[in-house]
Amino acid sequence: MFFADILEIQGLGNRSYLAGGARAAVVVDPPRDIDRVIAAAARRGVRIAAVAETHVHNDYVTGGLELARLTGARYLVPAGASVAYARVAVADGDVEEIDEGLVLRAVATPGHTPHHTSYVLEEAGRPVAAFTGGSLLIGSVGRPDLVEPRLTEQLARDQHASAHRLAVELADDVAVMPTHGFGSFCSAGQADGDHSTIGTEKTSNPALLKDVYTFVEELLAGLDDVPAYYAHMGPANAAGPAPVDLTAPERADVGEIARRLAAGEWVVDLRSRVAFSEGHVAGSFNFEVDGQPATYLAWMIPWGKPVTLLAESSEDISRAQRELARVGIDRPAAAAVGSPADWTGDGAPLASFPRATFADLAAARERGEELVVLDVRRDGERSQGWIEGSVHIPIHQVHQRLEEVPAGTVWVHCAGGMRAAIAASVLDANGRDVVAVDDGYAAAADAGLTLVTLAQH
């Protein structure tokens, strides 16, 4: 009897898989921190016989090369991928034996990348699961615009054809097990649900419900911003990532934190946005460890700039370090544990700023206060409606466009509060008076704020 275990990659919105039989297994699209993969195989009592990549990833650094080296597994990489290391070049129709009566069959599914390959797990000759990577996702497909602008439209057409190939060749009860689509920016759209089958996708996935022309037009029109760090992931994966180092970073004392701030390095406070707003080291930025620190920190930080982490516990430092390593920020320059008082020295003043709700914002406007409303949601979110008179700078651009924020106290909002807190910390570090709106965007209308839509604009 086969098994297929899901290995969640929290923060990045991806999944890896460990699938196999009684004695051996395959790992599909492993994360860089392979210790958890090895532990999962140990719990199952199976040998990792193969490691399979569906494509050269653009959103995270793979652990596949190192996992194959450590375990002696065969490293399966699509033949069309240009990589600098030895691997088993997999072509359409190739079969890899995993365990007795259990094989993995490669199915060419271009679209997310030109070389993208899905893998169908077959038990006793019957397909039971399809590891679809960035091809057929749950209710969507992988975005086609991460390789080369000139290829985007053709890759969108390829996505449509690949989705239909899987739907035609596989039975309705075959499990669909994608890598992307659980919050990943590699997904062209998000959908509800964590599990799916070919049959379910036939009734719900736009790629299988719309003709190619309509599908491509709507897919391309709906593409949102691409995280800046994606530009570094593909080359790293093609070259062959170095083994990850998750040993504890050097501890930073008060003097070193001050020196790193003075040098223009990034000092990142991982505490909750509530705690940060109440008191923090002046000049530090707030990326909550419970948010998506890997995505937004990697998206915003100038690539290669040293980062020092501040947190309440060593566990939070380790958690953030693991997430950052997955996207190529290999080693924090230093770290410190404790509270802001420990990081600033005796009696040193702490920086702070207020938090508020949309009702507070409406009241401030009613009083005639001179203020700026800064919307840091992404373009796609903004297009669904915005607060009248607000300035729009997406979160990942705020640190580069500070001069575009008008004078006055800046009330920053997003859709829920996390990104507003990041932007508020950046503005605060640059000497601006800020108020972080820690509220759900749906409350804006209830508060009496006038909302504008594209149709009205």
Side-chain angles (χ1 to χ4, degrees):
M1 184 67 181
F2 84 98
F3 70 87
D5 293 341
I6 297 169
L7 306 176
E8 295 277 2
I9 308 176
Q10 294 180 350
L12 295 181
N14 287 330
R15 287 179 172 178
S16 296
Y17 299 92
L18 175 73
R23 291 176 296 278
V26 60
V27 179
V28 181
D29 289 343
R32 194 173 186 199
D33 49 326
I34 59 174
D35 55 334
R36 61 195 298 255
V37 180
I38 293 172
R43 287 192 295 272
R44 277 284 185 179
V46 294
R47 173 178 63 89
I48 296 175
V51 177
E53 304 280 10
T54 57
H55 59 294
V56 175
H57 302 283
N58 286 291
D59 62 328
Y60 68 92
V61 179
T62 181
L65 183 63
E66 180 66 3
L67 181 60
R69 186 187 71 81
L70 287 177
T71 61
R74 285 167 60 80
Y75 192 28
L76 314 180
V77 178
S82 179
V83 296
Y85 44 81
R87 90 288 198 196
V88 178
V90 177
D92 185 49
D94 286 353
V95 173
E96 182 76 16
E97 184 176 357
I98 303 302
D99 204 348
E100 184 177 353
L102 199 65
V103 301
L104 199 69
R105 177 168 57 88
V107 179
T109 49
H112 188 46
T113 67
H115 61 263
H116 190 282
T117 300
S118 298
Y119 297 93
V120 176
L121 189 68
E122 299 180 349
E123 184 178 48
R126 182 178 70 88
V128 291
F131 301 102
T132 54
S135 181
L136 185 67
L137 310 186
I138 298 177
S140 186
V141 295
R143 58 192 300 166
D145 60 331
L146 301 180
V147 178
E148 158 62 49
R150 291 171 296 179
L151 299 178
T152 297
E153 184 171 348
Q154 181 57 52
L155 288 176
R157 293 177 179 274
D158 291 342
Q159 280 290 48
H160 188 270
S162 292
H164 280 263
R165 179 184 181 184
L166 292 170
V168 168
E169 294 186 5
L170 300 176
D172 285 356
D173 63 349
V174 173
V176 174
M177 309 191 83
T179 300
H180 305 311
F182 309 95
S184 168
F185 285 94
C186 268
S187 173
Q190 299 305 132
D192 295 328
D194 290 330
H195 305 278
S196 190
T197 63
I198 291 293
T200 300
E201 292 308 304
K202 285 180 179 179
T203 65
S204 61
N205 197 305
L208 300 175
L209 295 173
K210 298 179 180 180
D211 66 82
V212 63
Y213 303 104
T214 303
F215 170 76
V216 169
E217 181 180 17
E218 293 181 359
L219 177 66
L220 298 183
L223 294 173
D224 213 332
D225 294 331
V226 176
Y229 68 89
Y230 277 25
H232 305 280
M233 301 298 96
N237 288 324
V244 67
D245 180 2
L246 296 177
T247 57
E250 293 184 9
R251 293 298 182 185
D253 59 18
V254 171
E256 183 170 2
I257 292 171
R259 286 192 297 273
R260 292 189 177 278
L261 282 169
E265 297 181 11
W266 279 36
V267 173
V268 171
D269 190 327
L270 298 167
R271 294 176 304 140
S272 75
R273 56 184 181 264
V274 175
F276 183 88
S277 68
E278 292 174 348
H280 55 268
V281 178
S284 63
F285 301 143
N286 181 214
F287 291 83
E288 294 178 290
V289 72
D290 287 330
Q292 293 177 273
T295 296
Y296 287 104
L297 177 54
W299 198 338
M300 295 172 67
I301 192 170
W303 201 250
K305 185 176 283 291
V307 58
T308 295
L309 302 177
L310 310 178
E312 293 176 336
S313 68
S314 297
E315 290 75 20
D316 284 346
I317 295 290
S318 297
R319 180 178 162 192
Q321 182 180 353
R322 180 177 291 267
E323 291 196 23
L324 293 174
R326 292 172 181 158
V327 293
I329 301 178
D330 285 359
R331 296 287 300 162
V337 172
S339 68
D342 302 315
W343 306 327
T344 55
D346 294 338
L350 300 179
S352 64
F353 54 78
R355 293 164 48 249
T357 65
F358 283 110
D360 296 325
L361 172 57
R365 274 189 160 182
E366 185 69 23
R367 293 191 297 268
E369 293 184 15
E370 182 181 349
L371 57 84
V372 177
V373 179
L374 177 62
D375 180 350
V376 297
R377 296 174 301 159
R378 296 188 303 277
D379 289 343
E381 297 170 284
R382 173 84 172 183
S383 67
Q384 302 303 308
W386 60 90
I387 296 172
E388 185 178 40
S390 61
V391 176
H392 180 227
I393 302 177
I395 176 63
H396 55 278
Q397 298 176 8
V398 168
H399 62 301
Q400 300 169 326
R401 299 171 58 186
L402 291 168
E403 72 283 353
E404 297 179 34
V405 181
T409 300
V410 185
W411 289 61
V412 192
H413 83 85
C414 59
M418 181 192 75
R419 289 173 293 173
I422 296 173
S425 73
V426 171
L427 290 160
D428 173 74
N430 283 274
R432 296 298 301 269
D433 292 329
V434 295
V435 177
V437 178
D438 195 358
D439 202 359
Y441 182 71
D446 295 337
L449 292 165
T450 302
L451 305 185
V452 181
T453 65
L454 282 174
Q456 298 169 312
H457 191 60

